[in-house]
């Protein structure tokens, strides 16, 4: 059974940086893409970064203006999200996500693309 466990959330001041990590276990037998989503109170869950199985393709919404960077290790069992120049609007619960795929360059962009979710980690950015 696939399990995703996030770590690294916390309180940070505006303009600061934070790195989230997610440990993926049980994902064997097929290729998959990994992603980070976030959900702020009263808002829809949105994708903030995703990376393909090959690692050659990444996705970020234009609204982030290059402030976030997603990466995986060679074993593809850890996915990280480096966040820089954080703003109060970045305050949200951040979720690690995994999608099975036969396309090694596929990157998920919407919550309905996702097969598994972590429990989330809270990031609070103070002004």
């Amino acid at each position: 059974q696939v399990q995703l466990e996030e770590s690294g959330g916390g309180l940070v001041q505006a303009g600061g940086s934070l790195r989230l990590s997610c440990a993926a276990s049980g994902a064997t037998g097929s290729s998959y893409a990994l992603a980070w989503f976030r959900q702020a109170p009263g808002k829809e869950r949105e994708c903030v970064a995703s990376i393909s199985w090959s690692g050659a393709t990444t996705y970020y919404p234009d609204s982030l203006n290059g402030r976030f960077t997603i990466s995986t290790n060679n074993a593809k069992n850890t996915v990280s999200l480096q966040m820089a120049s954080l703003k109060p609007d970045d305050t949200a619960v951040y979720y690690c996500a995994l999608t099975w795929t036969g396309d090694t360059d596929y990157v998920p962009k919407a919550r309905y693309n996702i097969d598994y979710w972590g429990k989330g980690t809270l990031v609070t950015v103070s002004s």
Side-chain angles (χ1 to χ4, degrees), residues 7-20:
S7 61
L11 176 65
V12 62
Q13 288 189 332
S17 298
L18 200 63
R19 185 177 181 89
L20 305 181

Side-chain angles (χ1 to χ4, degrees), residues 11 24 37 78:
L11 176 65
F37 283 67
T78 301

Side-chain angles (χ1 to χ4, degrees), residues 12-33:
V12 62
Q13 288 189 332
S17 298
L18 200 63
R19 185 177 181 89
L20 305 181
S21 292
C22 172
S25 60
T28 60
S30 183
S31 54
Y32 51 84

Side-chain angles (χ1 to χ4, degrees), residues 37-78:
F37 283 67
R38 70 183 180 187
Q39 188 165 18
K43 295 189 176 181
E44 296 283 324
R45 191 172 297 190
E46 61 174 348
C47 182
V48 296
S50 55
I51 188 165
S52 64
W53 170 262
S54 69
T57 306
T58 55
Y59 163 77
Y60 305 95
D62 292 340
S63 58
L64 290 179
N65 293 315
R67 297 186 295 117
F68 291 6
T69 303
I70 190 171
S71 61
T72 60
N73 63 349
N74 288 336
K76 305 187 193 303
N77 56 14
T78 301

